Amino acid sequence: METYYKPEDLPRFEEIGQEAPELARKFFEYYNAVFADGELSEREKSLIALAVAHAVQCPYCIDAYTRACLEKGSNLAEMTEAVHVVTAIRGGASLVHGVQMRNIADKLSM
Amino acid sequence: MPDQTTIADIKPSSQAKAPDIVPFKSSLARHDLKLVRQTTATLQINLGFLCNQTCRHCHLNAGPGRKENMDAQTLKAVVAYAQRCRFATIDITGGAPELNPLLPDLIQQIAPLTSRIMLRSNLSALHQNFDPLMGVLKSHRVVIVASFPSLNLSQMDAQRGEGIFEESIAVLTALNALGYGCDGTGLELNLVSNPTGAFMPSGQEQIEKRYHQILKQKWGLTFNRLYNFANAPLGRFKQWLIQTGNFENYINKLVASFNPCAIEGLMCRSQVSVSWDGYLYDCDFNLARGLFMCGKKIHVSEMSGPPEPGTPIITADHCYTCAAGSGFT
């Protein structure tokens, strides 16, 4: 079935540099530096990336960082917890706006 | 989705589509490289394909039903070869070498001929023969190289069989109690980790640090080194890749990970592998494929010395496994 998202497009990511090579070079250099071992390990960074991939609902990122998490030694239980963390933040972000709702409702109500 | 395929479901498939990949030899040539032998320092002895486990990643299809096991006559020829060549290291593997009743004899006979004996163990086979074997292993300071693919019970049991994780922890605990893997004892315990699926291994340094930390913290265990290897797309692992639709992507990933810098340090350059029936191969993966050293069937009894430096190594597409990333030693 025709779809906007094709798995074979993921390895073509670098083609984005064809029209703006300097910007792409800077982006990929930054990207690779971000994911290198630092104060956080590559494994921890991959778990964060996996969680964020679910928040931004990017199928390419979910594919890439599921694989990366496994390769860096994470297991499915850890990865599932990471997805719950981002789900809690997303849900919490909605729910905490309920305070605004309450403030406005209080102001408008008798 | 968890993979519901059981080990019994996995059968050889004639429908395996061979991906259209660059031949390994061409990848070498593109970088002006040749894979040839250097001085042979290690004799690897494969005692047979009999194993108590039926691991999904096994390149040899080893398992409880295999009958191929080294006999006393072949063992004698192997020991004589070790005496002629005086290899620096002798690396004993299988199957599960602990299941070959000749293992203690072999160790006792080769101990005076080499400075380092390594025994590759799946831990559960060692568990079954712990008391009779540990005396011999300890007295000859045999280095134990133990399979421990994952720090996670589900991942390890999915690859190696139900209950293997907990049994492995119990054996490591017993080995530590004997001094194996503990500072100052001289009894070396190394672990081998490999991916529990169709993906590449992580960086050795990071994963070793994590293993030290988690094994110590959760079970109070210590070990010396951890080696992290990719799985070779051969035997049962190849069948699993095909059955699960991962074969083509996995091969392509290996090819894409080709690292010309890894070639110089590949294990096949400095070791010779002898099969349970006494024939010679450049490595255990070539043994699995039936690719004899020098392309011809040479019995260990015919060899007057180690293979000559400069001799070409027989290669095939599975060689991408060892040339991926930081290599395979």
Side-chain angles (χ1 to χ4, degrees):
Chain A
M1 192 171 69
E2 215 30 64
T3 168
Y4 283 110
Y5 289 116
K6 296 174 186 163
E8 60 270 26
D9 285 347
L10 179 56
R12 297 176 54 211
F13 190 10
E14 64 182 32
E15 289 176 24
I16 207 68
Q18 284 176 7
E19 305 306 324
E22 189 55 17
L23 290 177
R25 187 191 64 75
K26 285 180 174 172
F27 173 78
F28 287 116
E29 193 175 279
Y30 167 76
Y31 191 100
N32 290 332
V34 164
F35 280 97
D37 242 353
E39 294 299 318
L40 294 174
S41 67
E42 289 182 359
R43 190 185 81 88
E44 290 163 335
K45 288 177 180 181
S46 290
L47 281 168
I48 294 170
L50 179 71
V52 175
H54 283 76
V56 298
Q57 294 178 317
C58 168
Y60 297 121
C61 310
I62 292 171
D63 183 350
Y65 284 97
T66 298
R67 189 177 295 270
C69 282
L70 290 168
E71 289 182 351
K72 303 293 176 200
S74 294
N75 60 58
L76 199 53
E78 292 168 317
M79 291 153 67
T80 305
E81 282 189 18
V83 174
H84 276 295
V85 169
V86 81
T87 303
I89 294 295
R90 280 195 83 162
S94 295
L95 201 57
V96 74
H97 283 78
V99 178
Q100 282 200 30
M101 170 196 75
R102 291 181 61 81
N103 288 343
I104 294 164
D106 279 350
K107 188 175 176 184
L108 296 177
S109 303
M110 294 177 73
Chain B
M1 284 284 291
D3 172 26
Q4 296 299 316
T5 313
T6 66
I7 289 166
D9 291 334
I10 299 175
K11 295 185 176 63
S13 168
S14 56
Q15 297 170 358
K17 185 186 163 210
D20 189 17
I21 59 168
V22 181
F24 187 74
K25 270 186 182 171
S26 305
S27 288
L28 289 175
R30 201 173 64 234
H31 293 89
D32 263 339
L33 291 167
K34 283 181 181 167
L35 189 55
V36 295
R37 293 193 151 276
Q38 54 187 19
T39 302
T40 302
T42 300
L43 173 66
Q44 185 172 62
I45 304 172
N46 191 314
L47 279 187
F49 302 155
L50 177 64
C51 189
N52 59 319
Q53 295 181 186
T54 318
C55 301
R56 282 181 160 169
H57 73 296
C58 183
H59 60 275
L60 285 164
N61 273 329
R66 298 300 296 260
K67 306 290 181 205
E68 302 91 335
N69 240 4
M70 189 174 283
D71 60 21
Q73 194 182 348
T74 307
L75 186 134
K76 195 175 165 188
V78 172
V79 172
Y81 184 49
Q83 195 153 25
R84 290 196 292 279
C85 299
R86 301 287 174 147
F87 297 99
T89 300
I90 294 185
D91 177 3
I92 303 170
T93 187
E98 299 95 327
L99 301 187
N100 188 317
L102 300 173
L103 176 64
D105 285 348
L106 173 66
I107 292 169
Q108 276 161 352
Q109 290 182 58
I110 60 174
L113 309 177
T114 184
S115 52
R116 184 175 170 85
I117 302 174
M118 291 160 55
L119 176 73
R120 300 198 185 219
S121 172
N122 68 16
L123 291 176
S124 66
L126 183 59
H127 198 203
Q128 293 174 11
N129 300 277
F130 199 77
D131 290 334
L133 278 178
M134 284 316 299
V136 182
L137 298 180
K138 199 175 166 185
S139 66
H140 294 292
R141 299 196 171 277
V142 173
V143 176
I144 295 177
V145 183
S147 301
F148 201 89
S150 171
L151 292 164
N152 178 263
L153 183 148
S154 304
Q155 286 181 323
M156 191 190 290
D157 284 5
Q159 182 187 80
R160 308 184 78 83
E162 202 178 331
I164 295 297
F165 183 86
E166 287 180 344
E167 191 172 7
S168 299
I169 293 290
V171 181
L172 291 178
T173 305
L175 287 170
N176 274 182
L178 290 175
Y180 263 98
C182 304
D183 283 344
T185 62
L187 296 169
E188 206 174 324
L189 171 62
N190 298 324
L191 303 183
V192 174
S193 153
N194 55 289
T196 53
F199 49 90
M200 296 293 108
S202 54
Q204 179 123 330
E205 202 176 313
Q206 296 98 317
I207 197 84
E208 184 179 77
K209 191 173 158 191
R210 187 164 147 75
Y211 263 63
H212 275 298
Q213 185 187 4
I214 302 290
L215 286 176
K216 181 76 182 167
Q217 184 189 319
K218 288 194 173 177
W219 296 282
L221 294 170
T222 57
F223 64 95
N224 298 100
R225 295 299 314 272
L226 179 124
Y227 301 103
N228 197 19
F229 299 139
N231 294 314
L234 294 168
R236 199 175 291 120
F237 183 57
K238 181 179 179 182
Q239 292 161 24
W240 177 84
L241 288 171
I242 293 166
Q243 293 252 335
T244 53
N246 282 305
F247 185 56
E248 193 165 351
N249 283 345
Y250 187 77
I251 295 284
N252 287 334
K253 181 76 179 172
L254 286 179
V255 175
S257 306
F258 178 81
N259 175 12
C261 300
I263 300 300
E264 192 179 344
L266 292 183
M267 62 174 182
C268 55
R269 299 197 63 213
S270 59
Q271 76 159 34
V272 58
S273 184
V274 56
S275 181
W276 63 275
D277 55 1
Y279 289 96
L280 300 176
Y281 300 84
D282 289 309
C283 73
D284 207 50
F285 297 140
N286 280 3
L287 189 161
R289 278 282 311 273
L291 300 172
F292 295 106
M293 189 178 75
C294 301
K296 55 189 175 189
K297 215 170 169 182
I298 304 169
H299 196 265
V300 67
S301 56
E302 300 168 46
M303 294 287 286
S304 56
E308 285 294 313
T311 309
I313 289 166
I314 303 295
T315 61
D317 290 344
H318 62 263
C319 298
Y320 279 113
T321 311
C322 299
S326 55
F328 201 126
T329 55

PDB file of all heavy atoms in Angstrom, chain B residues 80-106:
ATOM      1  N   ALA B  80      49.510 -34.306  19.458  1.00  0.00           N
ATOM      2  CA  ALA B  80      50.812 -34.437  18.795  1.00  0.00           C
ATOM      3  C   ALA B  80      51.125 -33.184  17.974  1.00  0.00           C
ATOM      4  O   ALA B  80      52.274 -32.725  17.937  1.00  0.00           O
ATOM      5  CB  ALA B  80      50.811 -35.679  17.903  1.00  0.00           C
ATOM      6  N   TYR B  81      50.104 -32.629  17.344  1.00  0.00           N
ATOM      7  CA  TYR B  81      50.285 -31.390  16.565  1.00  0.00           C
ATOM      8  C   TYR B  81      50.674 -30.234  17.496  1.00  0.00           C
ATOM      9  O   TYR B  81      51.592 -29.455  17.198  1.00  0.00           O
ATOM     10  CB  TYR B  81      48.990 -31.078  15.812  1.00  0.00           C
ATOM     11  CG  TYR B  81      49.065 -29.881  14.886  1.00  0.00           C
ATOM     12  CD1 TYR B  81      50.107 -29.738  13.982  1.00  0.00           C
ATOM     13  CD2 TYR B  81      48.075 -28.899  14.913  1.00  0.00           C
ATOM     14  CE1 TYR B  81      50.172 -28.647  13.122  1.00  0.00           C
ATOM     15  CE2 TYR B  81      48.123 -27.807  14.059  1.00  0.00           C
ATOM     16  CZ  TYR B  81      49.177 -27.681  13.169  1.00  0.00           C
ATOM     17  OH  TYR B  81      49.239 -26.596  12.328  1.00  0.00           O
ATOM     18  N   ALA B  82      50.010 -30.160  18.634  1.00  0.00           N
ATOM     19  CA  ALA B  82      50.327 -29.110  19.622  1.00  0.00           C
ATOM     20  C   ALA B  82      51.771 -29.277  20.112  1.00  0.00           C
ATOM     21  O   ALA B  82      52.460 -28.285  20.386  1.00  0.00           O
ATOM     22  CB  ALA B  82      49.346 -29.177  20.785  1.00  0.00           C
ATOM     23  N   GLN B  83      52.200 -30.517  20.204  1.00  0.00           N
ATOM     24  CA  GLN B  83      53.574 -30.773  20.643  1.00  0.00           C
ATOM     25  C   GLN B  83      54.575 -30.330  19.569  1.00  0.00           C
ATOM     26  O   GLN B  83      55.623 -29.771  19.887  1.00  0.00           O
ATOM     27  CB  GLN B  83      53.737 -32.271  20.914  1.00  0.00           C
ATOM     28  CG  GLN B  83      54.970 -32.618  21.695  1.00  0.00           C
ATOM     29  CD  GLN B  83      54.781 -33.913  22.486  1.00  0.00           C
ATOM     30  OE1 GLN B  83      53.958 -34.758  22.105  1.00  0.00           O
ATOM     31  NE2 GLN B  83      55.511 -34.062  23.566  1.00  0.00           N
ATOM     32  N   ARG B  84      54.224 -30.547  18.304  1.00  0.00           N
ATOM     33  CA  ARG B  84      55.121 -30.157  17.209  1.00  0.00           C
ATOM     34  C   ARG B  84      55.215 -28.640  17.080  1.00  0.00           C
ATOM     35  O   ARG B  84      56.250 -28.096  16.720  1.00  0.00           O
ATOM     36  CB  ARG B  84      54.604 -30.722  15.869  1.00  0.00           C
ATOM     37  CG  ARG B  84      54.732 -32.224  15.739  1.00  0.00           C
ATOM     38  CD  ARG B  84      54.577 -32.675  14.292  1.00  0.00           C
ATOM     39  NE  ARG B  84      53.247 -32.516  13.733  1.00  0.00           N
ATOM     40  CZ  ARG B  84      52.231 -33.348  13.924  1.00  0.00           C
ATOM     41  NH1 ARG B  84      52.395 -34.403  14.690  1.00  0.00           N
ATOM     42  NH2 ARG B  84      51.057 -33.134  13.362  1.00  0.00           N
ATOM     43  N   CYS B  85      54.119 -27.934  17.368  1.00  0.00           N
ATOM     44  CA  CYS B  85      54.065 -26.494  17.063  1.00  0.00           C
ATOM     45  C   CYS B  85      54.220 -25.580  18.271  1.00  0.00           C
ATOM     46  O   CYS B  85      54.563 -24.411  18.116  1.00  0.00           O
ATOM     47  CB  CYS B  85      52.754 -26.155  16.368  1.00  0.00           C
ATOM     48  SG  CYS B  85      52.550 -27.027  14.819  1.00  0.00           S
ATOM     49  N   ARG B  86      53.910 -26.061  19.464  1.00  0.00           N
ATOM     50  CA  ARG B  86      54.009 -25.234  20.681  1.00  0.00           C
ATOM     51  C   ARG B  86      53.299 -23.889  20.530  1.00  0.00           C
ATOM     52  O   ARG B  86      53.938 -22.822  20.558  1.00  0.00           O
ATOM     53  CB  ARG B  86      55.479 -25.019  21.063  1.00  0.00           C
ATOM     54  CG  ARG B  86      56.234 -26.307  21.323  1.00  0.00           C
ATOM     55  CD  ARG B  86      55.818 -26.922  22.649  1.00  0.00           C
ATOM     56  NE  ARG B  86      56.420 -28.232  22.841  1.00  0.00           N
ATOM     57  CZ  ARG B  86      56.773 -28.726  24.024  1.00  0.00           C
ATOM     58  NH1 ARG B  86      56.569 -28.039  25.114  1.00  0.00           N
ATOM     59  NH2 ARG B  86      57.279 -29.923  24.137  1.00  0.00           N
ATOM     60  N   PHE B  87      52.011 -23.959  20.295  1.00  0.00           N
ATOM     61  CA  PHE B  87      51.211 -22.737  20.164  1.00  0.00           C
ATOM     62  C   PHE B  87      51.194 -21.980  21.494  1.00  0.00           C
ATOM     63  O   PHE B  87      51.165 -22.589  22.562  1.00  0.00           O
ATOM     64  CB  PHE B  87      49.779 -23.092  19.772  1.00  0.00           C
ATOM     65  CG  PHE B  87      49.670 -23.767  18.439  1.00  0.00           C
ATOM     66  CD1 PHE B  87      49.560 -25.151  18.351  1.00  0.00           C
ATOM     67  CD2 PHE B  87      49.686 -23.030  17.266  1.00  0.00           C
ATOM     68  CE1 PHE B  87      49.467 -25.785  17.123  1.00  0.00           C
ATOM     69  CE2 PHE B  87      49.592 -23.648  16.032  1.00  0.00           C
ATOM     70  CZ  PHE B  87      49.487 -25.034  15.953  1.00  0.00           C
ATOM     71  N   ALA B  88      51.177 -20.654  21.403  1.00  0.00           N
ATOM     72  CA  ALA B  88      51.135 -19.849  22.638  1.00  0.00           C
ATOM     73  C   ALA B  88      49.814 -20.046  23.376  1.00  0.00           C
ATOM     74  O   ALA B  88      49.760 -20.037  24.609  1.00  0.00           O
ATOM     75  CB  ALA B  88      51.320 -18.374  22.290  1.00  0.00           C
ATOM     76  N   THR B  89      48.737 -20.225  22.610  1.00  0.00           N
ATOM     77  CA  THR B  89      47.401 -20.378  23.213  1.00  0.00           C
ATOM     78  C   THR B  89      46.691 -21.567  22.589  1.00  0.00           C
ATOM     79  O   THR B  89      46.773 -21.774  21.375  1.00  0.00           O
ATOM     80  CB  THR B  89      46.554 -19.110  22.965  1.00  0.00           C
ATOM     81  OG1 THR B  89      47.230 -17.992  23.558  1.00  0.00           O
ATOM     82  CG2 THR B  89      45.169 -19.223  23.557  1.00  0.00           C
ATOM     83  N   ILE B  90      45.985 -22.304  23.426  1.00  0.00           N
ATOM     84  CA  ILE B  90      45.096 -23.354  22.902  1.00  0.00           C
ATOM     85  C   ILE B  90      43.682 -23.043  23.393  1.00  0.00           C
ATOM     86  O   ILE B  90      43.447 -22.853  24.594  1.00  0.00           O
ATOM     87  CB  ILE B  90      45.564 -24.757  23.331  1.00  0.00           C
ATOM     88  CG1 ILE B  90      46.929 -25.048  22.663  1.00  0.00           C
ATOM     89  CG2 ILE B  90      44.522 -25.811  22.934  1.00  0.00           C
ATOM     90  CD1 ILE B  90      47.476 -26.438  22.887  1.00  0.00           C
ATOM     91  N   ASP B  91      42.785 -22.952  22.442  1.00  0.00           N
ATOM     92  CA  ASP B  91      41.420 -22.470  22.672  1.00  0.00           C
ATOM     93  C   ASP B  91      40.474 -23.639  22.404  1.00  0.00           C
ATOM     94  O   ASP B  91      40.363 -24.088  21.264  1.00  0.00           O
ATOM     95  CB  ASP B  91      41.217 -21.304  21.680  1.00  0.00           C
ATOM     96  CG  ASP B  91      39.823 -20.722  21.707  1.00  0.00           C
ATOM     97  OD1 ASP B  91      39.005 -21.164  22.524  1.00  0.00           O
ATOM     98  OD2 ASP B  91      39.570 -19.814  20.894  1.00  0.00           O
ATOM     99  N   ILE B  92      39.811 -24.112  23.457  1.00  0.00           N
ATOM    100  CA  ILE B  92      38.953 -25.307  23.314  1.00  0.00           C
ATOM    101  C   ILE B  92      37.495 -24.860  23.216  1.00  0.00           C
ATOM    102  O   ILE B  92      37.002 -24.106  24.062  1.00  0.00           O
ATOM    103  CB  ILE B  92      39.133 -26.254  24.525  1.00  0.00           C
ATOM    104  CG1 ILE B  92      40.608 -26.642  24.675  1.00  0.00           C
ATOM    105  CG2 ILE B  92      38.259 -27.498  24.368  1.00  0.00           C
ATOM    106  CD1 ILE B  92      40.916 -27.362  25.977  1.00  0.00           C
ATOM    107  N   THR B  93      36.809 -25.348  22.174  1.00  0.00           N
ATOM    108  CA  THR B  93      35.431 -24.909  21.971  1.00  0.00           C
ATOM    109  C   THR B  93      34.564 -26.092  21.542  1.00  0.00           C
ATOM    110  O   THR B  93      35.000 -27.225  21.498  1.00  0.00           O
ATOM    111  CB  THR B  93      35.402 -23.731  20.955  1.00  0.00           C
ATOM    112  OG1 THR B  93      34.095 -23.202  20.885  1.00  0.00           O
ATOM    113  CG2 THR B  93      35.859 -24.153  19.558  1.00  0.00           C
ATOM    114  N   GLY B  94      33.311 -25.799  21.206  1.00  0.00           N
ATOM    115  CA  GLY B  94      32.387 -26.842  20.767  1.00  0.00           C
ATOM    116  C   GLY B  94      31.315 -26.234  19.894  1.00  0.00           C
ATOM    117  O   GLY B  94      31.574 -25.202  19.256  1.00  0.00           O
ATOM    118  N   GLY B  95      30.112 -26.740  19.965  1.00  0.00           N
ATOM    119  CA  GLY B  95      29.310 -27.408  20.972  1.00  0.00           C
ATOM    120  C   GLY B  95      29.631 -26.982  22.406  1.00  0.00           C
ATOM    121  O   GLY B  95      30.087 -25.894  22.663  1.00  0.00           O
ATOM    122  N   ALA B  96      29.353 -27.936  23.259  1.00  0.00           N
ATOM    123  CA  ALA B  96      29.721 -27.748  24.663  1.00  0.00           C
ATOM    124  C   ALA B  96      30.879 -28.698  24.939  1.00  0.00           C
ATOM    125  O   ALA B  96      30.657 -29.908  25.086  1.00  0.00           O
ATOM    126  CB  ALA B  96      28.546 -28.036  25.574  1.00  0.00           C
ATOM    127  N   PRO B  97      32.115 -28.190  24.989  1.00  0.00           N
ATOM    128  CA  PRO B  97      33.262 -29.097  25.166  1.00  0.00           C
ATOM    129  C   PRO B  97      33.183 -29.906  26.450  1.00  0.00           C
ATOM    130  O   PRO B  97      33.750 -31.002  26.527  1.00  0.00           O
ATOM    131  CB  PRO B  97      34.469 -28.154  25.156  1.00  0.00           C
ATOM    132  CG  PRO B  97      33.946 -26.775  25.271  1.00  0.00           C
ATOM    133  CD  PRO B  97      32.519 -26.793  24.827  1.00  0.00           C
ATOM    134  N   GLU B  98      32.458 -29.384  27.443  1.00  0.00           N
ATOM    135  CA  GLU B  98      32.342 -30.108  28.722  1.00  0.00           C
ATOM    136  C   GLU B  98      31.640 -31.458  28.542  1.00  0.00           C
ATOM    137  O   GLU B  98      31.740 -32.333  29.397  1.00  0.00           O
ATOM    138  CB  GLU B  98      31.549 -29.289  29.750  1.00  0.00           C
ATOM    139  CG  GLU B  98      32.159 -27.948  30.101  1.00  0.00           C
ATOM    140  CD  GLU B  98      31.573 -26.808  29.276  1.00  0.00           C
ATOM    141  OE1 GLU B  98      31.229 -27.055  28.096  1.00  0.00           O
ATOM    142  OE2 GLU B  98      31.465 -25.693  29.798  1.00  0.00           O
ATOM    143  N   LEU B  99      30.877 -31.599  27.451  1.00  0.00           N
ATOM    144  CA  LEU B  99      30.128 -32.845  27.249  1.00  0.00           C
ATOM    145  C   LEU B  99      30.975 -33.930  26.584  1.00  0.00           C
ATOM    146  O   LEU B  99      30.540 -35.066  26.474  1.00  0.00           O
ATOM    147  CB  LEU B  99      28.871 -32.588  26.401  1.00  0.00           C
ATOM    148  CG  LEU B  99      27.872 -31.568  26.975  1.00  0.00           C
ATOM    149  CD1 LEU B  99      26.610 -31.533  26.134  1.00  0.00           C
ATOM    150  CD2 LEU B  99      27.518 -31.896  28.424  1.00  0.00           C
ATOM    151  N   ASN B 100      32.176 -33.572  26.151  1.00  0.00           N
ATOM    152  CA  ASN B 100      33.069 -34.590  25.598  1.00  0.00           C
ATOM    153  C   ASN B 100      33.877 -35.178  26.757  1.00  0.00           C
ATOM    154  O   ASN B 100      34.634 -34.461  27.421  1.00  0.00           O
ATOM    155  CB  ASN B 100      34.012 -33.972  24.552  1.00  0.00           C
ATOM    156  CG  ASN B 100      34.821 -35.036  23.823  1.00  0.00           C
ATOM    157  OD1 ASN B 100      35.325 -35.964  24.439  1.00  0.00           O
ATOM    158  ND2 ASN B 100      34.928 -34.898  22.508  1.00  0.00           N
ATOM    159  N   PRO B 101      33.724 -36.476  27.014  1.00  0.00           N
ATOM    160  CA  PRO B 101      34.394 -37.067  28.189  1.00  0.00           C
ATOM    161  C   PRO B 101      35.925 -37.007  28.123  1.00  0.00           C
ATOM    162  O   PRO B 101      36.592 -37.223  29.133  1.00  0.00           O
ATOM    163  CB  PRO B 101      33.906 -38.528  28.175  1.00  0.00           C
ATOM    164  CG  PRO B 101      33.331 -38.760  26.825  1.00  0.00           C
ATOM    165  CD  PRO B 101      32.899 -37.444  26.278  1.00  0.00           C
ATOM    166  N   LEU B 102      36.455 -36.685  26.939  1.00  0.00           N
ATOM    167  CA  LEU B 102      37.914 -36.619  26.796  1.00  0.00           C
ATOM    168  C   LEU B 102      38.489 -35.267  27.217  1.00  0.00           C
ATOM    169  O   LEU B 102      39.712 -35.094  27.223  1.00  0.00           O
ATOM    170  CB  LEU B 102      38.313 -36.903  25.345  1.00  0.00           C
ATOM    171  CG  LEU B 102      37.896 -38.269  24.779  1.00  0.00           C
ATOM    172  CD1 LEU B 102      38.202 -38.345  23.285  1.00  0.00           C
ATOM    173  CD2 LEU B 102      38.604 -39.392  25.533  1.00  0.00           C
ATOM    174  N   LEU B 103      37.622 -34.318  27.568  1.00  0.00           N
ATOM    175  CA  LEU B 103      38.106 -32.966  27.889  1.00  0.00           C
ATOM    176  C   LEU B 103      39.185 -32.944  28.984  1.00  0.00           C
ATOM    177  O   LEU B 103      40.235 -32.321  28.798  1.00  0.00           O
ATOM    178  CB  LEU B 103      36.930 -32.047  28.244  1.00  0.00           C
ATOM    179  CG  LEU B 103      37.312 -30.639  28.677  1.00  0.00           C
ATOM    180  CD1 LEU B 103      37.986 -29.859  27.549  1.00  0.00           C
ATOM    181  CD2 LEU B 103      36.085 -29.863  29.185  1.00  0.00           C
ATOM    182  N   PRO B 104      38.964 -33.628  30.142  1.00  0.00           N
ATOM    183  CA  PRO B 104      40.022 -33.577  31.173  1.00  0.00           C
ATOM    184  C   PRO B 104      41.359 -34.131  30.677  1.00  0.00           C
ATOM    185  O   PRO B 104      42.411 -33.562  30.950  1.00  0.00           O
ATOM    186  CB  PRO B 104      39.446 -34.450  32.307  1.00  0.00           C
ATOM    187  CG  PRO B 104      37.969 -34.461  32.080  1.00  0.00           C
ATOM    188  CD  PRO B 104      37.775 -34.368  30.592  1.00  0.00           C
ATOM    189  N   ASP B 105      41.315 -35.234  29.907  1.00  0.00           N
ATOM    190  CA  ASP B 105      42.550 -35.803  29.342  1.00  0.00           C
ATOM    191  C   ASP B 105      43.237 -34.796  28.436  1.00  0.00           C
ATOM    192  O   ASP B 105      44.458 -34.619  28.495  1.00  0.00           O
ATOM    193  CB  ASP B 105      42.232 -37.044  28.480  1.00  0.00           C
ATOM    194  CG  ASP B 105      41.889 -38.239  29.333  1.00  0.00           C
ATOM    195  OD1 ASP B 105      42.113 -38.160  30.559  1.00  0.00           O
ATOM    196  OD2 ASP B 105      41.391 -39.236  28.776  1.00  0.00           O
ATOM    197  N   LEU B 106      42.444 -34.154  27.588  1.00  0.00           N
ATOM    198  CA  LEU B 106      43.009 -33.175  26.651  1.00  0.00           C
ATOM    199  C   LEU B 106      43.739 -32.075  27.412  1.00  0.00           C
ATOM    200  O   LEU B 106      44.885 -31.731  27.090  1.00  0.00           O
ATOM    201  CB  LEU B 106      41.894 -32.582  25.779  1.00  0.00           C
ATOM    202  CG  LEU B 106      42.323 -31.436  24.866  1.00  0.00           C
ATOM    203  CD1 LEU B 106      43.293 -31.904  23.790  1.00  0.00           C
ATOM    204  CD2 LEU B 106      41.110 -30.767  24.202  1.00  0.00           C
TER     205      LEU B 106
END
